């Protein structure tokens, strides 16, 4: 069965691979490696609930590190789907869940976008700051600071808006905008 499952997976026939891995798990429910492979097949099929169940079993049976990584990916994928559907609260929840299993800058960035869409600037700022902490040289760092400045300005929080515009005064891309906005925040 293992060979058949591996061959099906190589051919990207994840449904067939999952059926073989499921049989293998049923024969040996404590084999974490089988459960991990089953969870991975379900993940690739976007069968989220079965992926989570299989990966939790893998975690409980000796595959904790690999299963956590895949679980993080499951919830990150669900976050991306929710964002596309404009289900911002779901997206934020999935980003947080992804980071519970394996912290990633991408999950923080996506979660911040969802929080911003929900007008939850506190969580948005926290998540963007975690993103920037993990990726201090991110190409979009100044864009994020401008987003935060504009969001706080729109919300009427002049102090926070000023703080973020001040960070951008010498920025080649956003310096002119920051300099133009600062006098309006007195």
């Amino acid at each position: 069965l293992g060979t058949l499952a591996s061959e099906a997976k190589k051919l990207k026939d994840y449904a067939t691979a999952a059926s073989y891995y499921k049989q293998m798990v049923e024969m040996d429910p404590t084999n974490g490696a089988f459960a991990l492979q089953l969870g991975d097949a379900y993940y690739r099929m976007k069968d989220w609930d079965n992926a989570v169940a299989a990966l939790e079993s893998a975690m409980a049976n000796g595959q904790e590190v690999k299963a956590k990584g895949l679980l993080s990916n499951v919830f990150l994928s669900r976050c991306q789907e929710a964002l596309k559907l404009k289900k911002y609260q779901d997206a934020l929840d999935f980003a947080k869940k992804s980071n519970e299993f394996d912290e990633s800058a991408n999950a923080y960035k996506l979660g911040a976008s969802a929080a911003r869409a929900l007008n939850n600037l506190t969580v948005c700022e926290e998540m963007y700051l975690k993103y920037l902490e993990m990726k201090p040289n991110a190409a979009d760092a100044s864009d994020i600071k401008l987003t935060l400045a504009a969001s706080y300005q729109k919300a009427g929080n002049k102090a926070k808006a000023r703080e973020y515009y001040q960070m951008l005064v010498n920025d080649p891309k956003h310096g002119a905008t920051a300099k133009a906005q600062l006098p309006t925040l007195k």
Side-chain angles (χ1 to χ4, degrees), residues 17 35 54 60 93 106 148 158 176-177:
D93 293 342
N106 199 23
L148 287 168
K158 291 181 179 183
T177 301

Side-chain angles (χ1 to χ4, degrees), residues 24-46:
M24 293 165 66
V25 167
E26 288 168 355
M27 290 188 292
D28 187 358
T30 61
N31 188 313
F34 295 164
L36 184 71
Q37 291 301 323
L38 177 60
D40 183 51
Y42 283 136
Y43 163 68
R44 293 172 188 278
M45 293 166 48
K46 297 183 181 184

Side-chain angles (χ1 to χ4, degrees), residues 105-119:
N106 199 23
Y108 282 118
K109 184 176 176 180
L110 294 174
S113 295
R116 183 170 172 243
L118 293 166
N119 287 320

